[in-house]
Amino acid sequence: MKVFRNFKDYTSQKPLALSLGMFDGVHLGHKSIIDELIKVGSENSLETGVLTFWPHPRFVFNPNENLKLLNTIDEKKFLMEKYNIGNLFLKEFDEEFRNLTGEEFVRQILVGQLHVKYLIIGYDHSFGKNKSGNFELLQKLSKELDFEVEQMEAINIHENNISSTKIRNAILAGHIQEANEMLGYPYSVSGTVVHGKKIGRTIGYPTANIETESIKLLPKKGAYIVEVTVRGQQYRGMLSIGTNPTVNGEKLTVEVYILDFEGDIYDEEITVKFRAFLHDEIKFEGIEKLVERLDEDKRLTGEFDF
């Protein structure tokens, strides 16, 4: 997969089948668009591409909003490549770009620079200044500018439309398995292992403190069953998000106890895939009660069917 941050760098002998949008999470709804894109590209000998924005436009329109994303930029690249997209366009949502009308965007960018021959959009997608671009505009312009346009239907699970917002809400509520079902893969968080207070090792549960990217959405405070990737190997783990109230902690931390693992992994990057919610954050009466709960969480983690 080729990645472009400037449209002018893109050249191809073949026209392009393209979809555009934020694709935050690259969930099953997005996957249906990508699958259709690849099918159209194969049947018509077209390049395939996805045009998305970085940073998220909401950071531009609402700079004070505390928006957290389902994907970091590296995670989004990984998923797009995994799903066999040929070209990924990462457009900065700057002042010049945000002031393009929907029609200007189609004429100047999609047709003028990217030579789009087939365009696929989601069921609720709009674009351009004041959301002036939509499926109706694309249908109108497609005849004049000689491209085809297709609008995908929403993908449903349990009679509910899948959306990035619904997945965020599920994760924030601790409904991990529901979120994973909509994503089509386990929600994950990666980060560098940093030094913590090292209290865990004194009670038989040494944890790795993970420093995550600030834009990445974290599930609600509590304990989780996770799958941990360390140095390319997978392990079971029990992860805590919280402030460690039993020992009067104040700073929010992400800590994981890795079952059947020993070793120094400070300054290394690890990935945790969330599999199930265990319980909310608890302030125990003392260390003994904390250890009892950790023992029970370890038993549940060991017996969990991955």
Side-chain angles (χ1 to χ4, degrees):
M1 183 181 74
K2 296 178 181 177
V3 180
F4 299 93
R5 291 184 179 272
N6 190 326
F7 297 134
K8 294 176 182 176
D9 294 335
Y10 173 73
T11 58
S12 175
Q13 299 300 311
K14 296 192 292 187
L16 182 66
L18 182 79
S19 185
L20 59 148
M22 267 315 300
F23 286 83
D24 189 29
V26 196
H27 54 61
L28 287 181
H30 298 139
K31 176 74 162 45
S32 71
I33 294 174
I34 291 170
D35 288 345
E36 177 69 6
L37 197 64
I38 289 168
K39 176 173 170 283
V40 166
S42 175
E43 291 174 350
N44 298 280
S45 190
L46 303 174
E47 287 277 353
T48 59
V50 165
L51 193 166
T52 189
F53 305 100
W54 198 266
H56 197 296
R58 279 168 61 179
F59 289 131
V60 177
F61 288 118
N62 304 299
N64 296 322
E65 180 185 10
N66 189 30
L67 175 67
K68 301 296 183 182
L69 301 181
L70 299 172
N71 292 147
T72 65
I73 193 65
D74 286 338
E75 289 168 348
K76 186 174 287 190
K77 288 178 186 176
F78 171 81
L79 288 164
M80 290 291 181
E81 186 155 33
K82 177 184 174 183
Y83 294 151
N84 297 313
I85 284 296
N87 301 277
L88 179 61
F89 301 94
L90 294 173
K91 181 68 182 82
E92 181 185 356
F93 200 77
D94 54 22
E95 276 297 319
E96 181 183 2
F97 192 80
R98 70 181 284 187
N99 284 313
L100 285 177
T101 66
E103 184 165 344
E104 288 169 340
F105 172 65
V106 174
R107 291 183 182 277
Q108 295 175 24
I109 307 297
L110 298 187
V111 176
Q113 294 189 41
L114 299 181
H115 310 295
V116 169
K117 198 69 175 175
Y118 201 107
L119 187 65
I120 302 176
I121 63 169
Y123 72 97
D124 61 348
H125 187 68
S126 60
F127 57 92
K129 188 175 182 180
N130 300 323
K131 297 186 176 180
S132 54
N134 52 31
F135 183 59
E136 287 69 31
L137 174 71
L138 290 170
Q139 283 183 307
K140 175 188 155 197
L141 292 176
S142 66
K143 298 177 178 63
E144 177 193 343
L145 300 174
D146 190 29
F147 65 88
E148 291 186 60
V149 60
E150 177 181 352
Q151 186 175 44
M152 297 290 290
E153 295 295 323
I155 298 297
N156 298 319
I157 285 185
H158 308 312
E159 300 183 354
N160 285 316
N161 293 348
I162 297 174
S163 73
S164 301
T165 298
K166 286 178 181 174
I167 295 169
R168 283 193 204 100
N169 290 339
I171 290 169
L172 288 171
H175 300 155
I176 295 301
Q177 285 153 309
E178 179 187 333
N180 290 348
E181 194 175 9
M182 290 189 282
L183 285 166
Y185 60 87
Y187 187 66
S188 67
V189 171
S190 299
T192 305
V193 177
V194 297
H195 291 274
K197 292 184 177 179
K198 300 180 175 62
I199 294 171
R201 67 175 60 183
T202 67
I203 58 174
Y205 283 95
T207 59
N209 270 52
I210 308 171
E211 189 172 72
T212 63
E213 288 196 35
S214 60
I215 62 158
K216 180 74 176 181
L217 180 73
L218 293 176
K220 75 168 185 174
K221 291 180 183 178
Y224 297 84
I225 295 172
V226 296
E227 181 181 351
V228 191
T229 302
V230 183
R231 300 169 183 165
Q233 298 294 315
Q234 274 71 48
Y235 302 87
R236 292 172 183 262
M238 37 200 263
L239 179 138
S240 169
I241 299 173
T243 58
N244 298 306
T246 304
V247 292
N248 299 315
E250 295 179 355
K251 181 184 176 184
L252 185 75
T253 61
V254 181
E255 302 176 52
V256 61
Y257 171 73
I258 309 170
L259 277 67
D260 304 315
F261 177 83
E262 291 184 9
D264 181 350
I265 51 173
Y266 288 117
D267 300 320
E268 294 188 32
E269 181 165 298
I270 66 174
T271 298
V272 294
K273 294 178 180 177
F274 288 84
R275 295 294 190 173
F277 178 71
L278 282 166
H279 55 79
D280 287 314
E281 183 176 50
I282 304 170
K283 182 172 183 177
F284 295 96
E285 295 175 5
I287 296 296
E288 187 177 315
K289 293 290 186 184
L290 169 61
V291 173
E292 284 179 13
R293 183 70 237 199
L294 289 171
D295 289 343
E296 175 64 5
D297 288 351
K298 183 178 180 180
R299 182 188 68 78
L300 292 169
T301 301
E303 292 176 356
F304 185 78
D305 185 5
F306 280 68

